[in-house]
mmCIF file with all atom_site columns, all heavy atoms in Angstrom:
data_model
loop_
_atom_site.group_PDB
_atom_site.id
_atom_site.type_symbol
_atom_site.label_atom_id
_atom_site.label_alt_id
_atom_site.label_comp_id
_atom_site.label_asym_id
_atom_site.label_entity_id
_atom_site.label_seq_id
_atom_site.pdbx_PDB_ins_code
_atom_site.Cartn_x
_atom_site.Cartn_y
_atom_site.Cartn_z
_atom_site.occupancy
_atom_site.B_iso_or_equiv
_atom_site.pdbx_formal_charge
_atom_site.auth_seq_id
_atom_site.auth_comp_id
_atom_site.auth_asym_id
_atom_site.auth_atom_id
_atom_site.pdbx_PDB_model_num
ATOM 1   N N   . ARG A 1 1  ? 167.111 70.017 164.653 1.00 0.00 ? 579 ARG A N   1
ATOM 2   C CA  . ARG A 1 1  ? 167.553 70.787 163.467 1.00 0.00 ? 579 ARG A CA  1
ATOM 3   C C   . ARG A 1 1  ? 166.755 70.374 162.229 1.00 0.00 ? 579 ARG A C   1
ATOM 4   O O   . ARG A 1 1  ? 166.323 71.222 161.440 1.00 0.00 ? 579 ARG A O   1
ATOM 5   C CB  . ARG A 1 1  ? 169.046 70.559 163.222 1.00 0.00 ? 579 ARG A CB  1
ATOM 6   C CG  . ARG A 1 1  ? 169.967 71.267 164.195 1.00 0.00 ? 579 ARG A CG  1
ATOM 7   C CD  . ARG A 1 1  ? 171.400 71.278 163.680 1.00 0.00 ? 579 ARG A CD  1
ATOM 8   N NE  . ARG A 1 1  ? 171.894 69.923 163.405 1.00 0.00 ? 579 ARG A NE  1
ATOM 9   C CZ  . ARG A 1 1  ? 172.515 69.159 164.323 1.00 0.00 ? 579 ARG A CZ  1
ATOM 10  N NH1 . ARG A 1 1  ? 172.708 69.610 165.553 1.00 0.00 ? 579 ARG A NH1 1
ATOM 11  N NH2 . ARG A 1 1  ? 172.945 67.956 164.003 1.00 0.00 ? 579 ARG A NH2 1
ATOM 12  N N   . GLU A 1 2  ? 166.563 69.065 162.076 1.00 0.00 ? 580 GLU A N   1
ATOM 13  C CA  . GLU A 1 2  ? 165.878 68.551 160.888 1.00 0.00 ? 580 GLU A CA  1
ATOM 14  C C   . GLU A 1 2  ? 164.472 69.129 160.747 1.00 0.00 ? 580 GLU A C   1
ATOM 15  O O   . GLU A 1 2  ? 164.029 69.469 159.651 1.00 0.00 ? 580 GLU A O   1
ATOM 16  C CB  . GLU A 1 2  ? 165.819 67.015 160.953 1.00 0.00 ? 580 GLU A CB  1
ATOM 17  C CG  . GLU A 1 2  ? 165.062 66.355 159.824 1.00 0.00 ? 580 GLU A CG  1
ATOM 18  C CD  . GLU A 1 2  ? 165.850 66.315 158.523 1.00 0.00 ? 580 GLU A CD  1
ATOM 19  O OE1 . GLU A 1 2  ? 167.083 66.555 158.542 1.00 0.00 ? 580 GLU A OE1 1
ATOM 20  O OE2 . GLU A 1 2  ? 165.219 66.052 157.469 1.00 0.00 ? 580 GLU A OE2 1
ATOM 21  N N   . PHE A 1 3  ? 163.776 69.248 161.908 1.00 0.00 ? 581 PHE A N   1
ATOM 22  C CA  . PHE A 1 3  ? 162.371 69.661 161.859 1.00 0.00 ? 581 PHE A CA  1
ATOM 23  C C   . PHE A 1 3  ? 162.148 71.062 162.428 1.00 0.00 ? 581 PHE A C   1
ATOM 24  O O   . PHE A 1 3  ? 161.012 71.468 162.654 1.00 0.00 ? 581 PHE A O   1
ATOM 25  C CB  . PHE A 1 3  ? 161.508 68.625 162.582 1.00 0.00 ? 581 PHE A CB  1
ATOM 26  C CG  . PHE A 1 3  ? 161.590 67.264 161.937 1.00 0.00 ? 581 PHE A CG  1
ATOM 27  C CD1 . PHE A 1 3  ? 162.311 66.239 162.544 1.00 0.00 ? 581 PHE A CD1 1
ATOM 28  C CD2 . PHE A 1 3  ? 161.003 67.030 160.709 1.00 0.00 ? 581 PHE A CD2 1
ATOM 29  C CE1 . PHE A 1 3  ? 162.418 64.989 161.942 1.00 0.00 ? 581 PHE A CE1 1
ATOM 30  C CE2 . PHE A 1 3  ? 161.102 65.788 160.098 1.00 0.00 ? 581 PHE A CE2 1
ATOM 31  C CZ  . PHE A 1 3  ? 161.812 64.765 160.706 1.00 0.00 ? 581 PHE A CZ  1
ATOM 32  N N   . GLU A 1 4  ? 163.257 71.799 162.637 1.00 0.00 ? 582 GLU A N   1
ATOM 33  C CA  . GLU A 1 4  ? 163.219 73.214 163.019 1.00 0.00 ? 582 GLU A CA  1
ATOM 34  C C   . GLU A 1 4  ? 162.316 73.449 164.231 1.00 0.00 ? 582 GLU A C   1
ATOM 35  O O   . GLU A 1 4  ? 161.422 74.300 164.210 1.00 0.00 ? 582 GLU A O   1
ATOM 36  C CB  . GLU A 1 4  ? 162.759 74.062 161.824 1.00 0.00 ? 582 GLU A CB  1
ATOM 37  C CG  . GLU A 1 4  ? 163.687 73.956 160.631 1.00 0.00 ? 582 GLU A CG  1
ATOM 38  C CD  . GLU A 1 4  ? 163.233 74.799 159.456 1.00 0.00 ? 582 GLU A CD  1
ATOM 39  O OE1 . GLU A 1 4  ? 162.022 75.135 159.390 1.00 0.00 ? 582 GLU A OE1 1
ATOM 40  O OE2 . GLU A 1 4  ? 164.075 75.138 158.594 1.00 0.00 ? 582 GLU A OE2 1
ATOM 41  N N   . THR A 1 5  ? 162.568 72.665 165.279 1.00 0.00 ? 583 THR A N   1
ATOM 42  C CA  . THR A 1 5  ? 161.773 72.822 166.489 1.00 0.00 ? 583 THR A CA  1
ATOM 43  C C   . THR A 1 5  ? 162.368 73.909 167.385 1.00 0.00 ? 583 THR A C   1
ATOM 44  O O   . THR A 1 5  ? 163.531 74.299 167.232 1.00 0.00 ? 583 THR A O   1
ATOM 45  C CB  . THR A 1 5  ? 161.709 71.507 167.295 1.00 0.00 ? 583 THR A CB  1
ATOM 46  O OG1 . THR A 1 5  ? 162.965 71.258 167.937 1.00 0.00 ? 583 THR A OG1 1
ATOM 47  C CG2 . THR A 1 5  ? 161.340 70.334 166.414 1.00 0.00 ? 583 THR A CG2 1
ATOM 48  N N   . ASP A 1 6  ? 161.577 74.363 168.305 1.00 0.00 ? 584 ASP A N   1
ATOM 49  C CA  . ASP A 1 6  ? 162.036 75.287 169.358 1.00 0.00 ? 584 ASP A CA  1
ATOM 50  C C   . ASP A 1 6  ? 162.566 74.401 170.482 1.00 0.00 ? 584 ASP A C   1
ATOM 51  O O   . ASP A 1 6  ? 161.828 74.000 171.377 1.00 0.00 ? 584 ASP A O   1
ATOM 52  C CB  . ASP A 1 6  ? 160.864 76.148 169.819 1.00 0.00 ? 584 ASP A CB  1
ATOM 53  C CG  . ASP A 1 6  ? 161.229 77.052 170.990 1.00 0.00 ? 584 ASP A CG  1
ATOM 54  O OD1 . ASP A 1 6  ? 162.438 77.267 171.233 1.00 0.00 ? 584 ASP A OD1 1
ATOM 55  O OD2 . ASP A 1 6  ? 160.297 77.516 171.684 1.00 0.00 ? 584 ASP A OD2 1
ATOM 56  N N   . HIS A 1 7  ? 163.869 74.096 170.391 1.00 0.00 ? 585 HIS A N   1
ATOM 57  C CA  . HIS A 1 7  ? 164.420 73.010 171.214 1.00 0.00 ? 585 HIS A CA  1
ATOM 58  C C   . HIS A 1 7  ? 165.055 73.533 172.500 1.00 0.00 ? 585 HIS A C   1
ATOM 59  O O   . HIS A 1 7  ? 165.754 74.557 172.499 1.00 0.00 ? 585 HIS A O   1
ATOM 60  C CB  . HIS A 1 7  ? 165.459 72.232 170.416 1.00 0.00 ? 585 HIS A CB  1
ATOM 61  C CG  . HIS A 1 7  ? 165.895 70.969 171.098 1.00 0.00 ? 585 HIS A CG  1
ATOM 62  N ND1 . HIS A 1 7  ? 165.003 70.040 171.581 1.00 0.00 ? 585 HIS A ND1 1
ATOM 63  C CD2 . HIS A 1 7  ? 167.139 70.485 171.384 1.00 0.00 ? 585 HIS A CD2 1
ATOM 64  C CE1 . HIS A 1 7  ? 165.673 69.043 172.121 1.00 0.00 ? 585 HIS A CE1 1
ATOM 65  N NE2 . HIS A 1 7  ? 166.968 69.290 172.017 1.00 0.00 ? 585 HIS A NE2 1
ATOM 66  N N   . HIS A 1 8  ? 164.810 72.798 173.590 1.00 0.00 ? 586 HIS A N   1
ATOM 67  C CA  . HIS A 1 8  ? 165.322 73.155 174.909 1.00 0.00 ? 586 HIS A CA  1
ATOM 68  C C   . HIS A 1 8  ? 166.117 71.968 175.463 1.00 0.00 ? 586 HIS A C   1
ATOM 69  O O   . HIS A 1 8  ? 165.556 70.899 175.688 1.00 0.00 ? 586 HIS A O   1
ATOM 70  C CB  . HIS A 1 8  ? 164.168 73.489 175.860 1.00 0.00 ? 586 HIS A CB  1
ATOM 71  C CG  . HIS A 1 8  ? 163.232 74.528 175.326 1.00 0.00 ? 586 HIS A CG  1
ATOM 72  N ND1 . HIS A 1 8  ? 163.295 75.853 175.695 1.00 0.00 ? 586 HIS A ND1 1
ATOM 73  C CD2 . HIS A 1 8  ? 162.211 74.444 174.425 1.00 0.00 ? 586 HIS A CD2 1
ATOM 74  C CE1 . HIS A 1 8  ? 162.348 76.534 175.071 1.00 0.00 ? 586 HIS A CE1 1
ATOM 75  N NE2 . HIS A 1 8  ? 161.681 75.699 174.287 1.00 0.00 ? 586 HIS A NE2 1
ATOM 76  N N   . LYS A 1 9  ? 167.413 72.192 175.671 1.00 0.00 ? 587 LYS A N   1
ATOM 77  C CA  . LYS A 1 9  ? 168.270 71.164 176.267 1.00 0.00 ? 587 LYS A CA  1
ATOM 78  C C   . LYS A 1 9  ? 168.467 71.478 177.746 1.00 0.00 ? 587 LYS A C   1
ATOM 79  O O   . LYS A 1 9  ? 168.832 72.599 178.092 1.00 0.00 ? 587 LYS A O   1
ATOM 80  C CB  . LYS A 1 9  ? 169.625 71.103 175.567 1.00 0.00 ? 587 LYS A CB  1
ATOM 81  C CG  . LYS A 1 9  ? 169.592 70.454 174.216 1.00 0.00 ? 587 LYS A CG  1
ATOM 82  C CD  . LYS A 1 9  ? 170.971 70.060 173.718 1.00 0.00 ? 587 LYS A CD  1
ATOM 83  C CE  . LYS A 1 9  ? 171.884 71.235 173.534 1.00 0.00 ? 587 LYS A CE  1
ATOM 84  N NZ  . LYS A 1 9  ? 173.163 70.836 172.883 1.00 0.00 ? 587 LYS A NZ  1
ATOM 85  N N   . ILE A 1 10 ? 168.267 70.477 178.573 1.00 0.00 ? 588 ILE A N   1
ATOM 86  C CA  . ILE A 1 10 ? 168.368 70.649 180.017 1.00 0.00 ? 588 ILE A CA  1
ATOM 87  C C   . ILE A 1 10 ? 169.446 69.707 180.532 1.00 0.00 ? 588 ILE A C   1
ATOM 88  O O   . ILE A 1 10 ? 169.299 68.478 180.440 1.00 0.00 ? 588 ILE A O   1
ATOM 89  C CB  . ILE A 1 10 ? 167.015 70.352 180.705 1.00 0.00 ? 588 ILE A CB  1
ATOM 90  C CG1 . ILE A 1 10 ? 165.915 71.236 180.105 1.00 0.00 ? 588 ILE A CG1 1
ATOM 91  C CG2 . ILE A 1 10 ? 167.121 70.528 182.206 1.00 0.00 ? 588 ILE A CG2 1
ATOM 92  C CD1 . ILE A 1 10 ? 164.522 70.712 180.348 1.00 0.00 ? 588 ILE A CD1 1
ATOM 93  N N   . HIS A 1 11 ? 170.538 70.258 181.046 1.00 0.00 ? 589 HIS A N   1
ATOM 94  C CA  . HIS A 1 11 ? 171.603 69.435 181.618 1.00 0.00 ? 589 HIS A CA  1
ATOM 95  C C   . HIS A 1 11 ? 171.544 69.508 183.135 1.00 0.00 ? 589 HIS A C   1
ATOM 96  O O   . HIS A 1 11 ? 171.480 70.598 183.716 1.00 0.00 ? 589 HIS A O   1
ATOM 97  C CB  . HIS A 1 11 ? 172.985 69.880 181.128 1.00 0.00 ? 589 HIS A CB  1
ATOM 98  C CG  . HIS A 1 11 ? 174.094 69.061 181.718 1.00 0.00 ? 589 HIS A CG  1
ATOM 99  N ND1 . HIS A 1 11 ? 174.777 69.450 182.848 1.00 0.00 ? 589 HIS A ND1 1
ATOM 100 C CD2 . HIS A 1 11 ? 174.594 67.861 181.346 1.00 0.00 ? 589 HIS A CD2 1
ATOM 101 C CE1 . HIS A 1 11 ? 175.673 68.522 183.143 1.00 0.00 ? 589 HIS A CE1 1
ATOM 102 N NE2 . HIS A 1 11 ? 175.586 67.552 182.252 1.00 0.00 ? 589 HIS A NE2 1
ATOM 103 N N   . ILE A 1 12 ? 171.571 68.344 183.765 1.00 0.00 ? 590 ILE A N   1
ATOM 104 C CA  . ILE A 1 12 ? 171.449 68.258 185.224 1.00 0.00 ? 590 ILE A CA  1
ATOM 105 C C   . ILE A 1 12 ? 172.749 67.722 185.815 1.00 0.00 ? 590 ILE A C   1
ATOM 106 O O   . ILE A 1 12 ? 173.121 66.570 185.575 1.00 0.00 ? 590 ILE A O   1
ATOM 107 C CB  . ILE A 1 12 ? 170.281 67.331 185.628 1.00 0.00 ? 590 ILE A CB  1
ATOM 108 C CG1 . ILE A 1 12 ? 168.979 67.765 184.966 1.00 0.00 ? 590 ILE A CG1 1
ATOM 109 C CG2 . ILE A 1 12 ? 170.143 67.277 187.146 1.00 0.00 ? 590 ILE A CG2 1
ATOM 110 C CD1 . ILE A 1 12 ? 168.454 69.094 185.408 1.00 0.00 ? 590 ILE A CD1 1
ATOM 111 N N   . PRO A 1 13 ? 173.482 68.506 186.585 1.00 0.00 ? 591 PRO A N   1
ATOM 112 C CA  . PRO A 1 13 ? 174.677 67.984 187.258 1.00 0.00 ? 591 PRO A CA  1
ATOM 113 C C   . PRO A 1 13 ? 174.297 66.973 188.328 1.00 0.00 ? 591 PRO A C   1
ATOM 114 O O   . PRO A 1 13 ? 173.170 66.970 188.833 1.00 0.00 ? 591 PRO A O   1
ATOM 115 C CB  . PRO A 1 13 ? 175.329 69.228 187.856 1.00 0.00 ? 591 PRO A CB  1
ATOM 116 C CG  . PRO A 1 13 ? 174.238 70.229 187.958 1.00 0.00 ? 591 PRO A CG  1
ATOM 117 C CD  . PRO A 1 13 ? 173.262 69.929 186.860 1.00 0.00 ? 591 PRO A CD  1
ATOM 118 N N   . VAL A 1 14 ? 175.236 66.119 188.700 1.00 0.00 ? 592 VAL A N   1
ATOM 119 C CA  . VAL A 1 14 ? 174.933 65.019 189.614 1.00 0.00 ? 592 VAL A CA  1
ATOM 120 C C   . VAL A 1 14 ? 174.444 65.533 190.968 1.00 0.00 ? 592 VAL A C   1
ATOM 121 O O   . VAL A 1 14 ? 173.601 64.904 191.618 1.00 0.00 ? 592 VAL A O   1
ATOM 122 C CB  . VAL A 1 14 ? 176.154 64.089 189.775 1.00 0.00 ? 592 VAL A CB  1
ATOM 123 C CG1 . VAL A 1 14 ? 177.290 64.783 190.522 1.00 0.00 ? 592 VAL A CG1 1
ATOM 124 C CG2 . VAL A 1 14 ? 175.763 62.796 190.470 1.00 0.00 ? 592 VAL A CG2 1
ATOM 125 N N   . GLY A 1 15 ? 174.913 66.689 191.400 1.00 0.00 ? 593 GLY A N   1
ATOM 126 C CA  . GLY A 1 15 ? 174.457 67.231 192.679 1.00 0.00 ? 593 GLY A CA  1
ATOM 127 C C   . GLY A 1 15 ? 172.968 67.538 192.665 1.00 0.00 ? 593 GLY A C   1
ATOM 128 O O   . GLY A 1 15 ? 172.254 67.272 193.643 1.00 0.00 ? 593 GLY A O   1
ATOM 129 N N   . ASP A 1 16 ? 172.488 68.081 191.556 1.00 0.00 ? 594 ASP A N   1
ATOM 130 C CA  . ASP A 1 16 ? 171.053 68.370 191.440 1.00 0.00 ? 594 ASP A CA  1
ATOM 131 C C   . ASP A 1 16 ? 170.239 67.090 191.378 1.00 0.00 ? 594 ASP A C   1
ATOM 132 O O   . ASP A 1 16 ? 169.109 67.027 191.873 1.00 0.00 ? 594 ASP A O   1
ATOM 133 C CB  . ASP A 1 16 ? 170.786 69.209 190.192 1.00 0.00 ? 594 ASP A CB  1
ATOM 134 C CG  . ASP A 1 16 ? 171.315 70.628 190.317 1.00 0.00 ? 594 ASP A CG  1
ATOM 135 O OD1 . ASP A 1 16 ? 171.876 70.968 191.378 1.00 0.00 ? 594 ASP A OD1 1
ATOM 136 O OD2 . ASP A 1 16 ? 171.176 71.400 189.349 1.00 0.00 ? 594 ASP A OD2 1
ATOM 137 N N   . LEU A 1 17 ? 170.827 66.065 190.755 1.00 0.00 ? 595 LEU A N   1
ATOM 138 C CA  . LEU A 1 17 ? 170.143 64.770 190.682 1.00 0.00 ? 595 LEU A CA  1
ATOM 139 C C   . LEU A 1 17 ? 169.910 64.205 192.073 1.00 0.00 ? 595 LEU A C   1
ATOM 140 O O   . LEU A 1 17 ? 168.800 63.776 192.418 1.00 0.00 ? 595 LEU A O   1
ATOM 141 C CB  . LEU A 1 17 ? 170.975 63.798 189.848 1.00 0.00 ? 595 LEU A CB  1
ATOM 142 C CG  . LEU A 1 17 ? 170.488 62.352 189.792 1.00 0.00 ? 595 LEU A CG  1
ATOM 143 C CD1 . LEU A 1 17 ? 169.213 62.251 188.987 1.00 0.00 ? 595 LEU A CD1 1
ATOM 144 C CD2 . LEU A 1 17 ? 171.568 61.452 189.189 1.00 0.00 ? 595 LEU A CD2 1
ATOM 145 N N   . VAL A 1 18 ? 170.928 64.221 192.895 1.00 0.00 ? 596 VAL A N   1
ATOM 146 C CA  . VAL A 1 18 ? 170.812 63.682 194.252 1.00 0.00 ? 596 VAL A CA  1
ATOM 147 C C   . VAL A 1 18 ? 169.811 64.508 195.059 1.00 0.00 ? 596 VAL A C   1
ATOM 148 O O   . VAL A 1 18 ? 168.989 63.969 195.802 1.00 0.00 ? 596 VAL A O   1
ATOM 149 C CB  . VAL A 1 18 ? 172.188 63.650 194.946 1.00 0.00 ? 596 VAL A CB  1
ATOM 150 C CG1 . VAL A 1 18 ? 172.056 63.217 196.402 1.00 0.00 ? 596 VAL A CG1 1
ATOM 151 C CG2 . VAL A 1 18 ? 173.129 62.712 194.191 1.00 0.00 ? 596 VAL A CG2 1
ATOM 152 N N   . GLU A 1 19 ? 169.852 65.809 194.886 1.00 0.00 ? 597 GLU A N   1
ATOM 153 C CA  . GLU A 1 19 ? 168.924 66.681 195.607 1.00 0.00 ? 597 GLU A CA  1
ATOM 154 C C   . GLU A 1 19 ? 167.473 66.397 195.211 1.00 0.00 ? 597 GLU A C   1
ATOM 155 O O   . GLU A 1 19 ? 166.552 66.526 196.027 1.00 0.00 ? 597 GLU A O   1
ATOM 156 C CB  . GLU A 1 19 ? 169.270 68.140 195.298 1.00 0.00 ? 597 GLU A CB  1
ATOM 157 C CG  . GLU A 1 19 ? 168.422 69.155 196.039 1.00 0.00 ? 597 GLU A CG  1
ATOM 158 C CD  . GLU A 1 19 ? 168.813 70.577 195.687 1.00 0.00 ? 597 GLU A CD  1
ATOM 159 O OE1 . GLU A 1 19 ? 170.026 70.830 195.510 1.00 0.00 ? 597 GLU A OE1 1
ATOM 160 O OE2 . GLU A 1 19 ? 167.907 71.426 195.581 1.00 0.00 ? 597 GLU A OE2 1
ATOM 161 N N   . ALA A 1 20 ? 167.268 65.985 193.952 1.00 0.00 ? 598 ALA A N   1
ATOM 162 C CA  . ALA A 1 20 ? 165.906 65.738 193.469 1.00 0.00 ? 598 ALA A CA  1
ATOM 163 C C   . ALA A 1 20 ? 165.368 64.371 193.871 1.00 0.00 ? 598 ALA A C   1
ATOM 164 O O   . ALA A 1 20 ? 164.151 64.154 193.823 1.00 0.00 ? 598 ALA A O   1
ATOM 165 C CB  . ALA A 1 20 ? 165.863 65.870 191.950 1.00 0.00 ? 598 ALA A CB  1
ATOM 166 N N   . LEU A 1 21 ? 166.233 63.439 194.255 1.00 0.00 ? 599 LEU A N   1
ATOM 167 C CA  . LEU A 1 21 ? 165.772 62.076 194.544 1.00 0.00 ? 599 LEU A CA  1
ATOM 168 C C   . LEU A 1 21 ? 164.653 62.022 195.588 1.00 0.00 ? 599 LEU A C   1
ATOM 169 O O   . LEU A 1 21 ? 163.630 61.355 195.358 1.00 0.00 ? 599 LEU A O   1
ATOM 170 C CB  . LEU A 1 21 ? 166.955 61.201 194.980 1.00 0.00 ? 599 LEU A CB  1
ATOM 171 C CG  . LEU A 1 21 ? 167.811 60.617 193.860 1.00 0.00 ? 599 LEU A CG  1
ATOM 172 C CD1 . LEU A 1 21 ? 169.052 59.951 194.433 1.00 0.00 ? 599 LEU A CD1 1
ATOM 173 C CD2 . LEU A 1 21 ? 167.008 59.635 193.025 1.00 0.00 ? 599 LEU A CD2 1
ATOM 174 N N   . PRO A 1 22 ? 164.782 62.684 196.733 1.00 0.00 ? 600 PRO A N   1
ATOM 175 C CA  . PRO A 1 22 ? 163.677 62.615 197.704 1.00 0.00 ? 600 PRO A CA  1
ATOM 176 C C   . PRO A 1 22 ? 162.373 63.163 197.157 1.00 0.00 ? 600 PRO A C   1
ATOM 177 O O   . PRO A 1 22 ? 161.288 62.657 197.479 1.00 0.00 ? 600 PRO A O   1
ATOM 178 C CB  . PRO A 1 22 ? 164.189 63.462 198.878 1.00 0.00 ? 600 PRO A CB  1
ATOM 179 C CG  . PRO A 1 22 ? 165.673 63.484 198.734 1.00 0.00 ? 600 PRO A CG  1
ATOM 180 C CD  . PRO A 1 22 ? 165.933 63.449 197.266 1.00 0.00 ? 600 PRO A CD  1
ATOM 181 N N   . HIS A 1 23 ? 162.439 64.196 196.301 1.00 0.00 ? 601 HIS A N   1
ATOM 182 C CA  . HIS A 1 23 ? 161.230 64.762 195.716 1.00 0.00 ? 601 HIS A CA  1
ATOM 183 C C   . HIS A 1 23 ? 160.578 63.776 194.750 1.00 0.00 ? 601 HIS A C   1
ATOM 184 O O   . HIS A 1 23 ? 159.346 63.629 194.722 1.00 0.00 ? 601 HIS A O   1
ATOM 185 C CB  . HIS A 1 23 ? 161.558 66.069 194.995 1.00 0.00 ? 601 HIS A CB  1
ATOM 186 C CG  . HIS A 1 23 ? 162.134 67.122 195.878 1.00 0.00 ? 601 HIS A CG  1
ATOM 187 N ND1 . HIS A 1 23 ? 161.378 67.833 196.790 1.00 0.00 ? 601 HIS A ND1 1
ATOM 188 C CD2 . HIS A 1 23 ? 163.405 67.580 196.004 1.00 0.00 ? 601 HIS A CD2 1
ATOM 189 C CE1 . HIS A 1 23 ? 162.149 68.687 197.431 1.00 0.00 ? 601 HIS A CE1 1
ATOM 190 N NE2 . HIS A 1 23 ? 163.383 68.551 196.974 1.00 0.00 ? 601 HIS A NE2 1
ATOM 191 N N   . ALA A 1 24 ? 161.405 63.097 193.956 1.00 0.00 ? 602 ALA A N   1
ATOM 192 C CA  . ALA A 1 24 ? 160.865 62.103 193.030 1.00 0.00 ? 602 ALA A CA  1
ATOM 193 C C   . ALA A 1 24 ? 160.217 60.952 193.784 1.00 0.00 ? 602 ALA A C   1
ATOM 194 O O   . ALA A 1 24 ? 159.132 60.479 193.415 1.00 0.00 ? 602 ALA A O   1
ATOM 195 C CB  . ALA A 1 24 ? 161.971 61.584 192.113 1.00 0.00 ? 602 ALA A CB  1
ATOM 196 N N   . ILE A 1 25 ? 160.847 60.506 194.855 1.00 0.00 ? 603 ILE A N   1
ATOM 197 C CA  . ILE A 1 25 ? 160.288 59.415 195.659 1.00 0.00 ? 603 ILE A CA  1
ATOM 198 C C   . ILE A 1 25 ? 158.977 59.849 196.305 1.00 0.00 ? 603 ILE A C   1
ATOM 199 O O   . ILE A 1 25 ? 158.012 59.082 196.378 1.00 0.00 ? 603 ILE A O   1
ATOM 200 C CB  . ILE A 1 25 ? 161.323 58.947 196.698 1.00 0.00 ? 603 ILE A CB  1
ATOM 201 C CG1 . ILE A 1 25 ? 162.503 58.283 195.990 1.00 0.00 ? 603 ILE A CG1 1
ATOM 202 C CG2 . ILE A 1 25 ? 160.686 57.995 197.716 1.00 0.00 ? 603 ILE A CG2 1
ATOM 203 C CD1 . ILE A 1 25 ? 163.720 58.075 196.862 1.00 0.00 ? 603 ILE A CD1 1
#
């Protein structure tokens, strides 16, 4: 807000986190 950016918030539920673990590894 302070610097008027084009801001994108990304929320990841825990199920998506677990699904992504093998890909990250």
